[in-house]
Amino acid sequence: MEQPHITIIGAGLAGSEAAWQAASRGVKVTLYEMRPKVTTAVHKTDLFSELVCSNSLRGASLENAVGLLKEEMRRLGSLILREALTHAVPAGGALAVSRTDFSEGVTRALLQHPNITVLREEIREIPPEGVVVVATGPLTSAPLGEAIQRFTGEKALSFYDAAAPIVNIETVNMEKVFRMSRYGKGGGEDYLNCPMSKEEYETFYQALLTAERAMPHNPEDEQVCYFEGCLPIEEIARRGPDALRYGPLKPVGLIDPRTGRRPWAVVQLRQDNAAGTLYNLVGFQTSLKWGEQKRVFRLIPGLEEAEFERYGVIHRNTFMKSPLLLHPTGESRKRPGLFFAGQMTGVEGYVESAAGGLVAGINAARRALGQEPLVFPRETAIGSLLHYITHADPDHFQPMNIAFGLMPPLEGPPIRDKRARKRAISERALKVLAEWAPEALGVTLAGE
């Protein structure tokens, strides 16, 4: 008897997770990845699950919705979470990774799995037969993007996303910066902090406002639309002179040990690799021209002579009208056995993309095995995220991070303390998952 088989297109976070989940269920997987034969505007390597923007997977606490999402995935045997935890770097209350080590770990695991065959080829059409997962991400190649549009009959939506620059730590003036995590979280000294006086901040702010941007030229767009959760630093600045001080440059929870006072504003640097030689500027997604980045960002105290190992970039992301096109299983409404996963479905964020891949991989494997796809419980973060992207108003659909507001409210008397309420929602989610998964998925969850 021939072993069940599925095809997965794209080895980003979603595709890698989908391949792992399906292969772990005894299904043969053919995983297509076009790099390095065909490259994109932002990828730098041929590794799977390359992180092209930040190296942070965001909050790790169960009082944070993405922390809950990560914990659900970990308990379900997520490859992405396993490798992220293995290659974590200090980041206070967040989970951040050494990006190259993380991607190498994911790549190695998939290449070594006996049920996975990797083909380095570009797929230009949706395969007409078999069980297929399309997880090509927001940077889907033009031919395949056009094929998806023909299949769905819907014009893809789009928005612009940006990545932050990375500096060499050896070129940072350590006499002007100090190590400290906001409110002492994590190891207490997980971030480098560049303190700004009022005068230094105002000089930087004015330079940022007048710096020249490198905007993509796309005649199809009447205006540039940014995802709110990843606004370029110069766009935030345009909202007012204090917008940065209440945003990525907020000084709360930080005291400069040399002065004993809170700075007027603070630029934080977060470790980007395991060796601790590279640091990224937290919240500094940008569309500035590279020369302007060097000029303006060197106005930050401590970065006067900084060498930029990577400048910030801006790129176009596309996503589908999932409320019209997908079931909460990740399966197409038009064609059983065809699944879509990752950022192209309208989830935003690394973890959310991988979560979509986890669901698609499990359900594609079930289709290949002759079983019906499963809908995750609404009480879980995974279930709530997939429910949102497949039930939102299609006329106003925008990419979405996981949030407690997507999840059903708690029963019983309201819990007024926000942290206690969020913790209660997370505890309910994990309890529901523990009760549902063994019977529905036939798996034993990883230890608490």
Side-chain angles (χ1 to χ4, degrees), residues 8-20 31-35 40 43 45-52 73 78-80 102-103 106-107 110 118 120 133-140 341-344 349-358:
I8 297 177
I9 308 173
L13 291 162
S16 295
E17 186 65 53
W20 182 259
L31 176 61
Y32 287 90
E33 171 53 50
M34 68 179 186
R35 293 177 295 122
T40 74
H43 286 93
T45 75
D46 63 355
L47 296 173
F48 301 162
S49 297
E50 180 181 343
L51 305 182
V52 299
M73 293 173 63
S78 164
L79 172 66
I80 295 302
F102 163 76
S103 295
V106 173
T107 305
L110 295 178
V118 174
R120 298 281 187 167
V133 178
V134 180
T136 47
L139 300 174
T140 298
Q343 199 167 334
M344 68 188 309
Y350 292 149
V351 183
E352 290 86 344
S353 294
L358 181 145

Side-chain angles (χ1 to χ4, degrees), residues 86-132:
T86 299
H87 301 292
V89 296
L95 172 61
V97 303
S98 173
R99 68 176 77 217
T100 300
D101 294 333
F102 163 76
S103 295
E104 287 177 343
V106 173
T107 305
R108 183 167 51 250
L110 295 178
L111 290 175
Q112 293 176 351
H113 199 293
N115 285 338
I116 299 176
T117 299
V118 174
L119 297 179
R120 298 281 187 167
E121 300 176 16
E122 180 187 10
I123 299 297
R124 302 169 71 88
E125 295 283 345
I126 300 173
E129 298 178 347
V131 180
V132 178

Side-chain angles (χ1 to χ4, degrees), residues 284-302:
F284 268 63
Q285 300 83 221
T286 182
S287 64
L288 298 187
K289 289 186 174 182
W290 288 3
E292 292 289 77
Q293 290 183 45
K294 183 176 181 179
R295 178 181 68 84
V296 175
F297 296 160
R298 280 187 167 184
L299 294 173
I300 298 169

Side-chain angles (χ1 to χ4, degrees), residues 272-289:
D272 201 82
N273 65 340
T277 58
L278 302 178
Y279 275 68
N280 64 70
L281 278 66
V282 178
F284 268 63
Q285 300 83 221
T286 182
S287 64
L288 298 187
K289 289 186 174 182

